[in-house]
């Protein structure tokens, strides 16, 4: 298609958290415990090209990539979910409008900058977001088109979504960004290195780039292989009511926009809407998915069909795994905790209670201190709001720690009665990075899970000097 495929130098994240904190030195700069989460190869969806480049959104960033471009050679179905924060950033407003006006059709590109959120920036910020979209549209107009003039006449709607992440309240250095978009376009490639560089370009206080890819099949075409890939960023200001800060998923399966929208909502409710780092919801949260159908096969139009159900399961599991990387990279985090609420009156009640436990500072600090203070968990269950009457009955509630080593669960409370806790075993369980808290409400048959991390001294240090 006339685009060169460079071999970008793999720059890895430094341990010091700062915007686009990517070191150009050696792989050892990723914290030892996080290196296992960075892929060394991948299988990426057909028809998508990506790039990451440096434009210097923050003056202090002199070399690290901070602008990412993702483009499909052919128009894609698109769906997205956005923050419910009332102070919605300009990119959120612009991208939502693009999805609504196009009805989720003919979207081809996503342009993302890190280093500045373009949030609470007034009319000027809105103009900047639109300018990023216009420049990207101009660059990709001829990308993959047999007849550019015909394609241009076909629709006057934008084919680009825009995302920004970083400090709130500051204007973008828009001239730098607009100059950088054609550069990113020239760097487009389908290589693993390009996908990883794009994932690095959207990072802020992240300590490692968050990228996953995998293949799958569908019942109607068992001999055909499809791919899905995704990247996300986020380590703080994480307690979404949609996604988490920024996330992008791409697949070469053919999915109609209404079905894609339904599948994304189902996946997000069980993944990105079920994680928490610090209980704060960002102004910029956006998770988008593009499906270009480049792998062929029968388009999925019905989520209740065999292909629809299979695709929904693929996206749910994929989104869940991607969202977990955010929790594992939580600012100052030392633990990855799943709270699993079972035998609940309803899914909503189970999720509300799990969410309440996940965002409790007292629960999070106790886990950091390796203190089996189950009273804090019980307290959070008791003050959970907006649960129906009868959802929590103290005499039927049980709480336990479930170790990751496959050992027996450590019962802390059984049907409202406290257990004699083996403190040595409790400490042994809490020494591990991964932990499950199991809450059995004994009031129904539904369940829901939430994933979160602990609060450490490092979280306070990071956020005490965030803008510097």
């Amino acid at each position: 298609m006339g685009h060169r495929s460079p071999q970008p130098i793999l720059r890895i994240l430094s341990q010091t958290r700062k915007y686009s904190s990517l070191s150009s030195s050696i792989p050892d700069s990723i914290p030892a415990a996080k290196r296992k989460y960075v892929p060394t190869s991948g299988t990426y969806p057909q028809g998508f090209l990506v790039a990451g480049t440096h434009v210097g959104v923050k003056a202090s960033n002199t070399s690290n990539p901070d602008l990412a471009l993702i483009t499909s050679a052919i128009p894609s179905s698109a769906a997205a979910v956005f923050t419910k924060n009332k102070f919605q950033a300009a990119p959120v407003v612009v991208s939502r409008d693009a999805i609504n006006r196009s009805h989720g059709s003919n979207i081809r590109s996503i342009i993302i900058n890190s280093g500045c959120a373009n949030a609470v920036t007034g009319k000027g910020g809105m103009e900047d977001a639109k300018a990023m979209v216009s420049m990207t549209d101009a660059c990709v107009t001829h990308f993959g088109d047999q007849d550019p003039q015909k394609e241009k006449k076909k629709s006057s709607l934008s084919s680009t979504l825009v995302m920004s992440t970083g400090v709130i309240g500051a204007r973008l250095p828009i001239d730098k960004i607009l100059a950088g978009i054609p550069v990113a376009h020239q760097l487009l490639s389908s290589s693993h290195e390009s996908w990883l560089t794009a994932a690095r370009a959207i990072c802020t206080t992240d300590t490692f780039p968050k990228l996953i890819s995998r293949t799958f099949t569908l019942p109607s075409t068992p001999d055909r292989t499809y791919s899905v890939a995704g990247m996300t960023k986020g380590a703080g200001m994480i307690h979404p009511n949609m996604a988490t800060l920024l996330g992008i998923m791409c697949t070469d399966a053919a999915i109609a926009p209404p079905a894609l929208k339904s599948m994304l909502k189902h996946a997000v409710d069980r993944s990105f809407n079920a994680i928490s780092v610090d209980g704060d919801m960002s102004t910029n949260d956006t998770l988008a998915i593009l499906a270009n159908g480049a792998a062929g096969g029968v388009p999925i139009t019905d989520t209740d069909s065999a292909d629809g159900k299979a695709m929904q399961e693929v996206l749910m599991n994929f989104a869940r795994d991607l969202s977990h990387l955010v929790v594992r990279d939580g600012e100052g985090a030392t633990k990855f905790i799943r709270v699993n609420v079972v035998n609940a009156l309803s899914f909503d009640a189970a999720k509300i209670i799990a969410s309440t436990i996940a965002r409790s500072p007292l629960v999070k600090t106790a886990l950091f201190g390796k203190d089996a203070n189950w009273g804090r968990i019980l307290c959070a269950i008791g003050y959970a709001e907006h649960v129906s009457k009868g959802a929590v009955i103290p005499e039927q509630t049980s709480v336990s720690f479930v170790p990751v080593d496959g050992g027996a669960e450590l019962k802390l409370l059984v049907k409202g009665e406290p257990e004699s806790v083996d403190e040595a075993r409790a400490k042994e369980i809490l020494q591990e990075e991964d932990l499950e808290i199991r809450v059995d409400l004994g009031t129904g048959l539904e369940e829901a899970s939430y994933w979160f991390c602990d609060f450490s001294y490092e979280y306070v240090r990071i956020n005490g000097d965030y803008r510097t």
Side-chain angles (χ1 to χ4, degrees):
M1 298 174 194
H3 304 290
R4 58 193 178 94
S5 298
Q7 297 178 351
I9 297 173
L10 181 59
R11 300 186 184 96
I12 306 296
L13 294 160
S14 68
Q15 292 188 40
T16 302
R17 290 176 183 261
K18 57 184 180 180
Y19 275 106
S20 298
S21 54
L22 304 165
S23 169
S24 60
S25 56
I26 56 175
D28 287 347
S29 57
I30 290 182
K34 307 295 178 67
R35 294 173 200 157
K36 60 188 175 183
Y37 302 121
V38 181
T40 57
S41 63
T43 304
Y44 298 100
Q46 298 177 47
F48 285 100
L49 298 181
V50 302
T53 190
H54 168 260
V55 299
V57 174
K58 291 195 74 175
S60 58
N61 176 17
T62 60
S63 62
N64 299 316
D66 52 6
L67 184 70
L69 174 61
I70 300 165
T71 297
S72 172
I74 55 179
S76 303
S77 296
V81 284
F82 302 95
T83 183
K84 292 187 178 179
N85 192 304
K86 291 180 176 61
F87 289 95
Q88 297 189 352
V92 169
V93 176
V94 171
S95 293
R96 179 188 286 113
D97 182 64
I99 292 283
N100 290 340
R101 293 182 64 192
S102 68
H103 304 289
S105 299
N106 299 312
I107 300 296
R108 291 178 56 172
S109 305
I110 304 175
I111 186 73
I112 313 113
N113 76 271
S114 62
C116 178
N118 192 14
V120 198
T121 47
K123 294 181 180 178
M126 198 70 68
E127 291 172 358
D128 290 345
K130 291 177 180 178
M132 290 175 65
V133 166
S134 296
M135 178 60 78
T136 305
D137 280 345
C139 287
V140 303
T141 295
H142 301 248
F143 177 44
D145 294 336
Q146 297 295 321
D147 186 345
Q149 293 303 318
K150 182 178 179 181
E151 184 68 22
K152 185 175 181 180
K153 292 177 182 177
K154 187 169 71 173
S155 176
S156 61
L157 299 177
S158 169
S159 63
T160 297
L161 306 181
V162 58
M163 304 180 187
S164 298
T165 180
V167 173
I168 295 169
R171 287 287 298 276
L172 292 170
I174 192 62
D175 291 341
K176 288 183 179 181
I177 292 174
L178 295 182
I181 291 174
V183 176
H185 182 257
Q186 288 299 312
L187 293 172
L188 286 170
S189 169
S190 60
S191 70
H192 170 69
E193 288 77 12
S194 289
W195 279 89
L196 193 57
T197 301
R200 290 166 44 228
I202 69 174
C203 291
T204 53
T205 61
D206 309 63
T207 65
F208 67 93
K210 300 165 182 64
L211 173 69
I212 298 178
S213 65
R214 62 184 53 154
T215 59
F216 61 94
T217 59
L218 294 172
S220 67
T221 50
D223 296 328
R224 190 184 301 270
T225 299
Y226 300 91
S227 297
V228 59
M231 63 185 74
T232 187
K233 62 82 51 189
M237 200 178 283
I238 308 295
H239 187 78
N241 197 354
M242 59 97 260
T244 175
L245 294 188
L246 303 183
I248 303 99
M249 298 191 293
C250 303
T251 181
D252 51 18
I255 310 172
L260 189 63
K261 180 179 179 180
S262 176
M263 290 177 188
L264 182 63
K265 184 181 185 305
H266 179 88
V268 167
D269 282 345
R270 291 156 180 79
S271 58
F272 284 92
N273 272 354
I275 63 172
S276 183
V277 168
D278 48 20
D280 280 344
M281 185 197 304
S282 168
T283 55
N284 289 57
D285 293 347
T286 304
L287 178 68
I289 182 169
L290 302 181
N292 67 6
V298 180
I300 299 172
T301 59
D302 182 3
T303 55
D304 289 328
S305 67
D307 280 359
K309 290 178 180 178
M311 190 73 229
Q312 183 165 273
E313 187 74 11
V314 167
L315 290 182
M316 183 186 70
N317 291 331
F318 185 84
R320 181 177 292 170
D321 290 348
L322 194 60
S323 71
H324 288 180
L325 294 179
V326 176
V327 179
R328 291 192 180 279
D329 199 26
E331 291 172 344
T334 69
K335 296 195 179 303
F336 176 82
I337 308 113
R338 175 192 183 190
V339 54
N340 188 27
V341 178
V342 301
N343 295 321
L345 201 58
S346 66
F347 171 78
D348 288 343
K351 188 173 180 182
I352 289 170
I353 291 166
S355 170
T356 305
I357 295 169
R359 68 175 186 266
S360 165
L362 291 179
V363 171
K364 293 159 77 71
T365 51
L367 293 172
F368 170 69
K370 302 176 180 63
D371 179 7
N373 192 339
W374 56 267
R376 295 182 177 184
I377 299 170
L378 208 63
C379 182
I381 297 170
Y383 67 66
E385 298 180 338
H386 309 300
V387 294
S388 59
K389 184 178 181 180
V392 177
I393 300 174
E395 296 78 15
Q396 294 182 15
T397 302
S398 301
V399 178
S400 59
F401 286 157
V402 180
V404 295
D405 61 7
E409 64 181 299
L410 180 65
K411 296 180 180 180
L412 307 170
L413 183 79
V414 177
K415 294 190 178 298
E417 295 291 334
E419 293 289 289
S420 178
V421 178
D422 182 343
E423 293 293 344
R425 177 59 178 153
K427 186 174 182 179
E428 194 176 72
I429 293 173
L430 292 173
Q431 288 288 348
E432 299 295 327
E433 178 184 353
D434 288 20
L435 167 70
E436 178 181 325
I437 298 171
R438 180 182 172 89
V439 176
D440 188 335
L441 295 176
T443 55
L445 299 174
E446 298 296 322
E447 66 177 281
S449 292
Y450 230 84
W451 292 266
F452 67 104
C453 60
D454 54 347
F455 264 162
S456 69
Y457 305 120
E458 181 68 1
Y459 177 85
V460 178
R461 187 198 67 76
I462 291 167
N463 285 282
D465 61 9
Y466 184 70
R467 293 204 302 168
T468 57

